[in-house]
Amino acid sequence: MAKLVILSGCSGGGKSTLLSNLSKHGFATVEEPGRRVVEQQLKTGGTALPWLDLKAFLEQALAMAEQDYAAARNTSGISIFDRSLIDAASALRHLGDDRWYERLRSEFRYDNRVFLTPPWPEIYATDNERRHGFEDAVDEYERLCRDYDDLGYDAVILPKTGVDDRVEFVLNLLQDK
């Protein structure tokens, strides 16, 4: 039976690094849809970028996240997602579009325990795909905390520790269930 685990939280909080290290422990992992959309749009000269057309970007991220979800549902074992449908739907909801939100409550369910990376200014950095500032990342984190809670998920805030300690923390909780 598939177990779909979400790793979400503050942008620049170390999710991708943690995901990469968890994959070394044999877990199936799913890279962040938003980053994949940005990479594709930059390669092709597209405009569905968060800094050009946020709604088009979110629509593409949702479509990709839905495909990721469907693919992982057909596997066995644990799949760990760097962000999820909920992240993109939360951002779309913030823009005033709630059409995905209620579907997430019943149609697209992940494991009840969600791992969230907290705001961590000491490691936050912008890059070609992450152009927003730290304050925007904190605002996003607060929306995600609210929306995951509203959708009935149990959020576990990851400690601000080195990656090996974070991996051990997550492994212990995954084995705990």
Side-chain angles (χ1 to χ4, degrees), residues 111-116 148-149 152-157 177:
D111 188 67
N112 195 52
R113 183 181 287 159
V114 175
F115 295 97
L116 298 177
Y148 274 107
D149 181 62
Y153 287 93
D154 178 23
V156 175
I157 308 301
K177 261 189 138 179

Side-chain angles (χ1 to χ4, degrees), residues 134-144:
F134 184 70
E135 286 182 18
D136 291 330
V138 172
D139 289 345
E140 173 196 39
Y141 172 77
E142 290 170 356
R143 283 192 310 273
L144 288 170

Side-chain angles (χ1 to χ4, degrees), residues 3-7 18-19 21-23 25-29 77-81 111-115 156 158 166-177:
K3 181 176 180 174
L4 311 181
V5 176
I6 299 171
L7 175 57
L18 178 57
L19 189 78
N21 280 272
L22 287 168
S23 73
H25 287 268
F27 294 104
T29 58
I78 298 174
S79 294
I80 304 174
F81 292 76
D111 188 67
N112 195 52
R113 183 181 287 159
V114 175
F115 295 97
V156 175
L158 293 171
R166 272 187 165 185
V167 167
E168 185 176 333
F169 181 84
V170 170
L171 290 175
N172 286 337
L173 287 176
L174 289 175
Q175 293 168 1
D176 184 36
K177 261 189 138 179

Side-chain angles (χ1 to χ4, degrees), residues 60-110:
Q60 288 201 18
L62 278 163
M64 189 175 287
E66 186 176 14
Q67 291 172 355
D68 293 341
Y69 179 91
R73 293 288 302 163
N74 293 322
T75 65
S76 60
I78 298 174
S79 294
I80 304 174
F81 292 76
D82 185 344
R83 298 202 180 269
S84 70
L85 278 160
I86 296 165
D87 294 65
S90 176
L92 200 57
R93 184 180 194 214
H94 181 66
L95 295 179
D97 184 344
D98 275 353
R99 68 192 143 95
W100 270 89
Y101 200 73
E102 287 309 314
R103 290 178 69 194
L104 297 173
R105 198 175 299 282
S106 58
E107 191 176 333
F108 297 101
R109 294 302 294 181
Y110 296 81

Side-chain angles (χ1 to χ4, degrees), residues 38-80:
V38 168
E39 288 170 5
Q40 182 228 14
Q41 292 294 301
L42 289 174
K43 276 184 194 171
T44 62
T47 59
L49 295 162
W51 53 88
L52 292 179
D53 188 344
L54 181 57
K55 188 165 182 153
F57 162 76
L58 292 171
E59 294 288 350
Q60 288 201 18
L62 278 163
M64 189 175 287
E66 186 176 14
Q67 291 172 355
D68 293 341
Y69 179 91
R73 293 288 302 163
N74 293 322
T75 65
S76 60
I78 298 174
S79 294
I80 304 174

